[in-house]
Amino acid sequence: MSDQNLFNELNEFNSTTDEMNTNKENMANTKGISETEYLKDLNPAQLEAALCTEGPLLILAGAGAGKTKTVTYRILHLIKTGVSPRAILAITFTNKAAREMRERVTSLLNSDQNFNLPMHSMSSHDYGDRGDRPFVSTFHSLGVSILKESGHKLGIPRHFVIYDRGDSKSAVKDALVELGHDPKQIDPNKILGIISREKGNFTSREEFEAKSGDDYMGSIAAEVWRKYDAKLDKDKALDFDDLLFKTAHLLSTHPEIREYYQKKWRYVHVDEYQDTNQVQYRIVQLLVGKNENLAVVGDGDQSIYGWRGADIKNILKFEEDYPTAKMVLLEQNYRSTQTILTAANKVIEKNIYRKKKNLFTKNEAGEKIKIYTAYDETDEANFIANTVREMLDKGTIDASGNKKIIKPDDIAVLYRANFQSRAIEDSFLRKNIAYTLLGTKFFERKEVKDVISYIRLALNPDSMVDVKRVINSPVRGIGKTTLLKVLEGKEDELPNAAKEKIRSFRSLLAAIEQKTKTDKASEVVKYVITMSGMEKSFKDEDEQERLENVRELVTLALKYDSYVQPEGIEKMLEEAALASDQDTIDEEKDKDKKPGVKLMTVHASKGLEFEYVFVTGLEQDLFPSGRTRDEAISPESSEEERRLFYVALTRAKKRLFLSHANVRTIFGNKQVTLPSEFLADIDEDLIEEEKPVTGIKSIFIDF
């Protein structure tokens, strides 16, 4: 967007603000804000939050307290009282959460027969949202939208490539080699982690270089970062962290851009505020205008991502940042039994760095929490498998005395570390129990990444990371020597046969680019799969699963066919790049085609709920992790393991099983363990020692 157009937009916003305010006052006067029949489904605390529409608002929402419902009804109320939908921004952390919120808002608006969107004279200029509706997105998608439209101010082209974690790791590894370091001696992941953490702290490369000083690893990271940035620039690419860092930098250094967005989004909502890092915190501050119409929703007791930069202080000091802020507590839980909530309340109240709240429910008291003491991880896994098998075979009796079937999807097994799943999987296989491991990313499969790379490269021929990925995939006789010449810009030195192969490859990319301009997203994907030779290669090599995966990508692309081209394919590439563990279409495939007990880490379970939950490995130095004894960890971070256990407990709706082993094999060595300190925090009248289904109790004898 040109500077003149930007200022025209600002003037138009200014000219329509008074009109919208007048519209709001007229609607309030004629209908009466007190007439809130559409809010009748909210409890008193939720209603208080929904009606608080002006100024800063902190909604402390306990687990299962209906925070998404509260935010969506608040958005509905804003629109009902005359606020333009286009003036509302809601930011979440995952595409799945954004999609759910967007669908809920749309459903509420569509279900209100008396509702009409307020008319106003705003132009149809599009900043990522389409039509007259609130902008609901993740932080990263918001960054993509802003940078695509205004990133030229920082020299960022509209069709920039988004590096995924694999791309970034490969670039860092190359940088290490170029600098004379051995990637086997210096882990590229560690260097990438340092760079990522600093970007998340809103620290520039130059600032990091200045402070790294004589620190050995820091000085290497500073050198690599410089090379890494050069590779990104050459590829016209940004990594995940850049999407936020560059957005914050743009808003910080260009007042006219910042003012545009402050005028555009006059009501800002942020979900899971406890999970924000410093750069996200900064973006929120920069987007909020002078009226400070900011509503943040979160729960400090569920802040479990400190290891990746989340800062619990952001939510704890919200009222310091915004002195006029109002705080609303959502404490009524709609998910769990009172027994489970009482246990969770007792566990979390030991933490000091928190805002106090006490979850309660109108649900039944429920069964006591079952605790099983196993001999080792095999015994623990067998107990879980036997119990699950019995539950699936016998079902349960509901409150009316009727027998109810228990489905595998109703059950989840949670663990602190991924290695714990092996023993559980073995036991489930022996008991013929269907299960699925949450976390396999559809978009990380090689064949899927290849299709995406073809399209990315067609739109951005400078993306060397995509050249390396697909120039010989499927095999077309282009070897490493030829590839090196291409990367070095020395194609004229190649023999004629090699030159012809490169010309053919470039012709394919040109054809794909043309398709993105004229064809629907699903047709573009089909074209790539066929014309690249992938389909034939998979058929010839009998790679049926890989063929099914790329065809599944066509199915996924169908939802972008309604966009005007090339916007549809651009949107697909964006969401593919930003997909998280819980956003992949694998999850839906698992639910629809492969129902099973869900096995996952506690971190992966956040935001989910299940009828029956097993929390395993409750031993000192496993859960809580031994790292909590590290003196370098801040007091706030040292409480994170307890918050993680709190999250685990509150995933359960009806029944909760806790287990620990007296002996556990870690890295091939059997180690005697102690029960987790968390178990002692649960009142004895809430728990019941569980006997094994087999009737045989394992005992540990120390010789």
Side-chain angles (χ1 to χ4, degrees):
M1 180 170 62
S2 69
D3 291 345
Q4 185 59 51
N5 287 338
L6 176 62
F7 284 114
N8 289 341
E9 289 285 350
L10 283 172
N11 289 333
E12 190 166 358
F13 270 122
N14 290 328
S15 67
T16 57
T17 298
D18 291 339
E19 178 187 339
M20 286 187 287
N21 286 338
T22 301
N23 184 29
K24 182 174 179 179
E25 290 174 8
N26 290 339
M27 290 184 71
N29 290 334
T30 56
K31 275 192 88 171
I33 290 181
S34 61
E35 297 177 21
T36 53
E37 178 67 17
Y38 54 88
L39 299 177
K40 61 181 173 55
D41 291 335
L42 302 182
N43 67 36
Q46 293 171 335
L47 180 62
E48 182 182 6
L51 293 176
C52 180
T53 59
E54 303 300 314
L57 172 65
L58 171 60
I59 304 173
L60 280 182
K67 67 180 178 64
T68 303
K69 178 180 180 180
T70 303
V71 173
T72 53
Y73 272 92
R74 185 178 191 273
I75 292 174
L76 171 67
H77 181 60
L78 282 168
I79 298 173
K80 289 278 286 186
T81 54
V83 174
S84 166
R86 290 168 61 94
I88 299 171
L89 170 67
I91 315 172
T92 69
F93 272 82
T94 68
N95 290 324
K96 179 184 175 184
R99 185 164 52 250
E100 179 185 359
M101 185 175 293
R102 194 180 299 117
E103 289 171 353
R104 286 200 192 188
V105 171
T106 301
S107 177
L108 287 174
L109 298 179
N110 291 342
S111 64
D112 192 333
Q113 297 179 353
N114 298 319
F115 178 71
N116 288 303
L117 288 176
M119 299 300 295
H120 54 80
S121 60
M122 293 177 67
S123 73
S124 60
H125 179 69
D126 183 46
Y127 254 67
D129 49 343
R130 301 174 72 242
D132 215 17
R133 67 187 188 191
F135 189 110
V136 183
S137 81
T138 65
F139 270 103
H140 287 90
S141 291
L142 175 66
V144 170
S145 178
I146 291 174
L147 292 174
K148 276 190 173 183
E149 199 63 41
S150 303
H152 64 275
K153 292 282 188 177
L154 301 179
I156 299 171
R158 178 175 177 82
H159 291 299
F160 58 82
V161 170
I162 301 175
Y163 268 22
D164 63 18
R165 183 74 179 183
D167 297 331
S168 293
K169 181 181 176 182
S170 177
V172 167
K173 183 178 179 181
D174 289 345
L176 280 167
V177 172
E178 288 176 22
L179 291 166
H181 300 293
D182 184 354
K184 294 181 180 179
Q185 299 297 320
I186 299 175
D187 185 4
N189 278 319
K190 186 171 184 178
I191 298 297
L192 184 57
I194 293 173
I195 296 172
S196 178
R197 184 179 65 246
E198 295 298 331
K199 288 182 180 179
N201 289 334
F202 200 35
T203 303
S204 69
R205 189 189 72 226
E206 293 77 14
E207 290 170 332
F208 179 69
E209 287 176 343
K211 73 176 185 178
S212 58
D214 296 329
D215 179 70
Y216 176 68
M217 192 58 68
S219 61
I220 292 176
E223 287 183 308
V224 171
W225 193 345
R226 184 177 291 276
K227 287 277 188 182
Y228 178 57
D229 271 1
K231 289 179 180 294
L232 287 167
D233 290 342
K234 184 178 179 181
D235 280 4
K236 296 179 181 177
L238 302 177
D239 64 18
F240 268 29
D241 301 301
D242 285 331
L243 298 178
L244 303 181
F245 183 89
K246 299 288 188 182
T247 299
H249 181 60
L250 174 68
L251 295 173
S252 297
T253 56
H254 291 77
E256 76 283 6
I257 300 292
R258 181 169 69 249
E259 184 183 355
Y260 172 81
Y261 287 107
Q262 290 178 351
K263 294 283 188 179
K264 178 180 177 64
W265 294 312
R266 296 182 298 111
Y267 293 86
V268 179
H269 303 74
V270 184
D271 193 14
E272 304 288 10
Y273 193 66
Q274 78 280 350
D275 292 338
T276 54
N277 60 18
Q278 284 305 303
V279 73
Q280 290 162 334
Y281 169 80
R282 182 67 175 146
I283 289 172
V284 172
Q285 283 191 320
L286 291 165
L287 286 175
V288 176
K290 294 179 181 178
N291 56 17
E292 295 188 338
N293 287 333
L294 169 65
V296 303
V297 191
D299 180 8
D301 291 338
Q302 296 186 72
S303 178
I304 59 173
Y305 297 116
W307 51 276
R308 68 182 188 195
D311 192 344
I312 191 175
K313 292 178 183 176
N314 292 345
I315 195 168
L316 295 181
K317 68 184 183 70
F318 182 82
E319 291 162 294
E320 294 178 27
D321 292 336
Y322 303 93
T324 61
K326 178 183 180 65
M327 183 175 75
V328 177
L329 286 175
L330 302 186
E331 298 176 291
Q332 183 174 351
N333 177 283
Y334 292 88
R335 175 189 300 161
S336 308
T337 66
Q338 188 59 56
T339 296
I340 292 171
L341 296 181
T342 301
N345 287 332
K346 290 293 290 183
V347 165
I348 202 62
E349 71 180 15
K350 281 198 169 185
N351 275 3
I352 297 172
Y353 296 93
R354 65 186 295 260
K355 289 180 180 290
K356 292 184 179 179
K357 64 180 182 308
N358 194 63
L359 295 182
F360 69 93
T361 186
K362 293 182 180 179
N363 296 337
E364 61 183 358
E367 296 186 42
K368 289 187 176 183
I369 298 169
K370 313 293 185 181
I371 294 184
Y372 181 71
T373 302
Y375 166 65
D376 60 10
E377 66 271 13
T378 301
D379 181 26
E380 179 186 48
N382 287 339
F383 160 72
I384 295 169
N386 288 332
T387 305
V388 169
R389 183 75 272 165
E390 182 181 53
M391 292 166 66
L392 296 176
D393 291 343
K394 295 183 178 180
T396 187
I397 305 298
D398 64 19
S400 302
N402 300 316
K403 183 176 179 180
K404 181 182 176 183
I405 294 174
I406 296 177
K407 299 179 295 183
D409 283 349
D410 295 332
I411 305 170
V413 181
L414 311 182
Y415 34 80
R416 179 62 182 84
N418 279 303
F419 77 85
Q420 293 174 251
S421 73
R422 184 201 56 79
I424 299 167
E425 289 184 73
D426 287 347
S427 291
F428 274 26
L429 288 170
R430 285 196 298 272
K431 285 290 181 180
N432 195 29
I433 297 171
Y435 69 89
T436 57
L437 281 167
L438 190 71
T440 301
K441 293 187 180 181
F442 178 79
F443 290 107
E444 283 191 354
R445 290 175 175 151
K446 181 185 183 304
E447 58 274 16
V448 175
K449 291 183 73 170
D450 284 353
V451 176
I452 296 295
S453 279
Y454 270 109
I455 302 171
R456 291 198 326 184
L457 186 57
L459 294 174
N460 179 8
D462 293 318
S463 177
M464 291 299 106
V465 68
D466 289 313
V467 170
K468 288 192 286 186
R469 170 171 286 279
V470 299
I471 196 169
N472 201 43
S473 181
V475 175
R476 51 175 58 91
I478 299 176
K480 292 183 178 179
T481 302
T482 301
L483 174 59
L484 186 60
K485 293 290 185 184
V486 172
L487 296 177
E488 293 176 344
K490 299 178 180 179
E491 291 180 37
D492 57 318
E493 299 177 7
L494 291 171
N496 290 333
K499 287 180 180 178
E500 181 55 37
K501 291 173 182 175
I502 298 300
R503 276 195 293 268
S504 176
F505 177 64
R506 291 226 167 92
S507 294
L508 170 62
L509 296 177
I512 294 171
E513 181 191 19
Q514 184 58 39
K515 285 283 184 183
T516 65
K517 296 176 181 178
T518 59
D519 291 18
K520 294 178 179 180
S522 62
E523 294 300 323
V524 173
V525 175
K526 285 181 185 177
Y527 184 82
V528 170
I529 293 169
T530 303
M531 300 308 294
S532 68
M534 294 175 70
E535 184 175 48
K536 182 178 184 302
S537 174
F538 293 153
K539 286 180 177 178
D540 290 347
E541 297 172 15
D542 197 24
E543 295 276 6
Q544 186 62 30
E545 183 177 353
R546 298 181 72 187
L547 182 59
E548 289 174 357
N549 286 336
V550 293
R551 285 176 173 171
E552 186 65 28
L553 188 59
V554 177
T555 303
L556 176 70
L558 286 171
K559 74 175 186 176
Y560 304 98
D561 282 356
S562 59
Y563 288 80
V564 177
Q565 299 310 321
E567 186 183 353
I569 203 69
E570 290 176 4
K571 195 69 177 175
M572 190 195 83
L573 293 179
E574 174 189 326
E575 293 193 7
L578 301 181
S580 68
D581 290 359
Q582 294 183 354
D583 292 327
T584 65
I585 59 178
D586 258 56
E587 186 178 65
E588 293 305 318
K589 285 174 65 182
D590 286 343
K591 287 180 180 178
D592 295 340
K593 300 177 183 178
K594 299 178 182 178
V597 178
K598 298 299 182 287
L599 309 184
M600 70 190 81
T601 64
V602 181
H603 281 100
S605 75
K606 187 170 180 293
L608 304 178
E609 58 183 47
F610 302 91
E611 301 285 316
Y612 311 95
V613 171
F614 293 79
V615 185
T616 68
L618 284 163
E619 298 134 30
Q620 287 298 110
D621 291 343
L622 179 56
F623 199 1
S625 167
R627 73 179 185 86
T628 56
R629 291 185 276 106
D630 187 343
E631 294 180 359
I633 292 179
S634 68
E636 297 94 332
S637 297
S638 68
E639 295 184 346
E640 187 163 308
E641 288 292 304
R642 186 174 294 276
R643 295 195 292 268
L644 190 61
F645 184 52
Y646 174 82
V647 166
L649 297 179
T650 53
R651 298 312 94 196
K653 297 171 71 174
K654 290 185 177 179
R655 293 180 67 186
L656 182 61
F657 299 83
L658 309 178
S659 62
H660 64 99
N662 288 320
V663 175
R664 187 170 296 275
T665 305
I666 299 178
F667 300 123
N669 297 317
K670 285 189 177 294
Q671 300 179 11
V672 177
T673 68
L674 295 174
S676 170
E677 63 189 76
F678 299 151
L679 294 174
D681 295 331
I682 302 175
D683 290 343
E684 290 186 5
D685 60 347
L686 299 176
I687 62 178
E688 180 179 304
E689 286 286 336
E690 182 75 337
K691 295 179 181 179
V693 175
T694 58
I696 301 173
K697 175 68 176 177
S698 296
I699 58 173
F700 169 59
I701 302 176
D702 187 358
F703 292 98

